[in-house]
Amino acid sequence: MSHAAPSPLRLSTSRPLSGTVRVPGDKSISHRSLMLSALAVGESRVEGLLEGEDVLATAQAMRAMGASIVRGEDGLWTIHGVGVGGLLQPEAALDMGNSGTSTRLLMGLVASHAVTATFVGDASLSKRPMGRVIDPLSKMGAEFIPSPGGRLPLMVRGLVPAVPIEYRLPVASAQVKSAVLLAGLNAPGITRVIEPVPTRDHSERMLRGFGAELTVEEVGGERIIAITGEAELKPQHIVVPGDPSSAGFPVVAALIVPGSEIVVENVGLNPTRAGLYEVLRAMGGDIVLENERTVGGEPVADLRVKASSLQGIEPDPSIVPSMVDEFPILFVACALAHGRSTLRGLEELRVKESDRITVMAEGLRAIGATVEEVEDGLIIDGTGGETLAGGATVATHLDHRIAMSFAVASLACRQPVTVDDRAPIATSFPIFVPMMESLGAESHGAVVA
């Protein structure tokens, strides 16, 4: 993702937020729906796909490896797959933009196919380590030529037949788990992933939905996920629920702007993803689930949110995998809460699109919050509901969640906060600014073309 010049963003509001909105489709499910549809034989259809830059990078990569992927004018995506084992040699490097999910999962797919692929990305993605995926995939026989530090640009040469393995995850990572399972799709025999700490289970749910033979059992408090290789995937019609990570931004905005009441419709609430809402409710957040239902095997509900007096919290680190991407916006909520919040066990945040611990600490201090940074998290003394000073310019470091978190924080500041560049928001939430405007926020700054 390259941009000629940064496009600053400031949000402000002079009244409570109100209205009903829908956030874009779940990013994790969108990525996986494209990949598995591309490996099925026949025509799959996907409704509600997130059309952000990260997911579009996945679509383009699957096209480059032989799948037909077309978006209809009605927003319905149609995919004709090549079958497991049928990926073709891409003619050029696969440009992943800012998408770590695309990169790590596609490395898994390529690892067990007769394909050599080069992965490239933007400046932010090129700083992110890929070693945790390279390690298990190398054990399956794939060859890697990464840049120094296990980073992009990186070349993968897949092996057919790949070697099925049993792999215990050294860190809780749905991306690593998914990469190994996707490689196992085209490996003879059974590939097993042992998960000491549960992570989001979209891959398991969707692999089963496409007809893969996959089992999950719990032994001694660990999850053992086994997939039988040389699978034959059947095409599906997928309806993507709203992304719970994206929904966190309007939800926290409504909680911290006095008098607000909003409804966020069609939010996916998979228990391995819904930790943010559990924590916000424990802080005293008035969040009511309405119209609860199941769509495509995923629990979904509408969220009715009212402005609330939040209390500081010290969540158990065991909840981290179910909300690892939502901590930046939770930090904002904690900065406006009553009392101290102690947020630990967050080492994973240091290897996201940016070092989200340091970047959030610096930005929160700049807008008047009281924050102490520790190695594995932040300790935040809240304002007790009082507005923050604001007025500062905050660096996003090409990180979409940093940009949106400070845009939301600006709504609870005496002076608007300037986000240095709104462009990264397009990776996951291209309608973020107009959606916030529809709830009553006002945006200022140059508009991204």
Side-chain angles (χ1 to χ4, degrees):
M1 184 175 63
S2 61
H3 296 272
S7 177
L9 169 67
R10 289 182 294 147
L11 289 187
S12 62
T13 186
S14 56
R15 62 185 190 274
L17 302 178
S18 64
T20 299
V21 293
R22 284 194 174 216
V23 296
D26 184 285
K27 189 149 73 90
S28 296
I29 296 174
S30 293
H31 282 302
R32 289 160 174 80
S33 66
L34 287 173
M35 292 180 195
L36 295 184
S37 295
L39 290 177
V41 177
E43 179 183 288
S44 293
R45 291 176 296 159
V46 182
E47 291 182 50
L49 188 85
L50 168 62
E51 297 182 4
E53 291 176 356
D54 282 12
V55 174
L56 298 180
T58 292
Q60 191 55 34
M62 299 315 299
R63 287 189 188 105
M65 292 187 284
S68 167
I69 302 178
V70 177
R71 182 194 186 278
E73 290 185 5
D74 56 359
L76 182 71
W77 289 70
T78 304
I79 300 99
H80 289 270
V82 296
V84 172
L87 293 182
L88 303 179
Q89 175 71 38
E91 294 181 0
L94 303 176
D95 187 349
M96 298 290 95
N98 188 243
S99 182
T101 302
S102 303
T103 307
R104 295 189 175 111
L105 270 57
L106 288 171
M107 285 166 62
L109 280 187
V110 169
S112 60
H113 281 77
V115 166
T116 299
T118 298
F119 291 86
V120 299
D122 70 5
S124 169
L125 182 61
S126 298
K127 295 176 183 175
R128 299 178 68 180
M130 298 294 159
R132 62 175 60 171
V133 180
I134 292 172
D135 179 51
L137 297 180
S138 296
K139 290 178 167 62
M140 299 182 77
E143 294 180 32
F144 293 86
I145 304 176
S147 296
R151 293 174 166 82
L152 303 190
L154 173 152
M155 190 183 79
V156 187
R157 181 178 292 112
L159 177 68
V160 178
V163 180
I165 62 170
E166 180 172 288
Y167 187 71
R168 180 185 299 274
L169 291 177
V171 294
S173 171
Q175 291 180 359
V176 177
K177 170 180 67 176
S178 299
V180 176
L181 293 175
L182 291 172
L185 270 178
N186 198 41
I190 297 175
T191 296
R192 290 183 177 85
V193 177
I194 301 170
E195 195 173 44
V197 178
T199 64
R200 57 184 65 177
D201 64 354
H202 300 303
S203 292
E204 295 96 306
R205 290 175 185 248
M206 194 170 286
L207 282 163
R208 277 201 191 115
F210 273 84
E213 189 178 328
L214 182 143
T215 62
V216 180
E217 55 180 333
E218 294 208 13
V219 179
E222 297 183 323
R223 294 173 82 237
I224 301 175
I225 306 135
I227 189 166
T228 301
E230 300 179 314
E232 192 168 311
L233 302 186
K234 301 173 181 63
Q236 301 295 311
H237 184 171
I238 298 166
V239 179
V240 181
D243 193 306
S245 300
S246 296
F249 298 103
V251 165
V252 169
L255 290 173
I256 65 175
V257 175
S260 297
E261 180 176 354
I262 70 169
V263 175
V264 186
E265 294 182 328
N266 193 48
V267 179
L269 292 176
N270 182 308
T272 64
R273 294 284 304 285
L276 173 67
Y277 304 103
E278 185 179 326
V279 170
L280 288 172
R281 290 164 94 178
M283 294 174 70
D286 186 345
I287 303 171
V288 176
L289 307 188
E290 300 179 340
N291 192 20
E292 295 182 66
R293 56 208 185 271
T294 300
V295 178
E298 296 275 351
V300 175
D302 303 336
L303 306 182
R304 182 173 294 276
V305 188
K306 297 180 182 178
S308 303
S309 177
L310 301 176
Q311 305 299 315
I313 196 165
E314 186 171 350
D316 189 314
S318 66
I319 203 170
V320 171
S322 70
M323 57 176 297
V324 67
D325 287 330
E326 287 75 73
F327 275 95
I329 192 60
L330 178 64
F331 294 156
V332 171
C334 292
L336 278 301
H338 293 260
R340 172 169 288 186
S341 294
T342 302
L343 307 136
R344 307 293 295 262
L346 309 182
E347 301 93 333
E348 179 72 9
L349 270 64
R350 294 202 182 274
V351 292
K352 290 289 186 177
E353 282 85 334
S354 65
D355 178 341
R356 287 179 173 163
I357 294 176
T358 294
V359 172
M360 285 300 301
E362 291 174 347
L364 286 169
R365 286 193 201 103
I367 66 173
T370 303
V371 182
E372 177 188 349
E373 179 179 347
V374 292
E375 183 58 34
D376 65 341
L378 295 181
I379 299 169
I380 302 172
D381 289 312
T383 65
E386 296 297 319
T387 53
L388 291 161
T393 296
V394 174
T396 62
H397 296 270
L398 298 176
D399 190 325
H400 53 130
R401 298 199 196 280
I402 301 295
M404 289 184 282
S405 295
F406 282 106
V408 168
S410 181
L411 300 175
C413 290
R414 293 188 289 280
Q415 295 294 324
V417 175
T418 301
V419 174
D420 71 346
D421 192 2
R422 75 174 80 192
I425 294 172
T427 65
S428 68
F429 203 159
I431 64 167
F432 171 74
V433 172
M435 187 205 68
M436 294 304 298
E437 289 175 331
S438 77
L439 293 174
E442 299 170 13
S443 70
H444 316 270
V447 175
V448 172

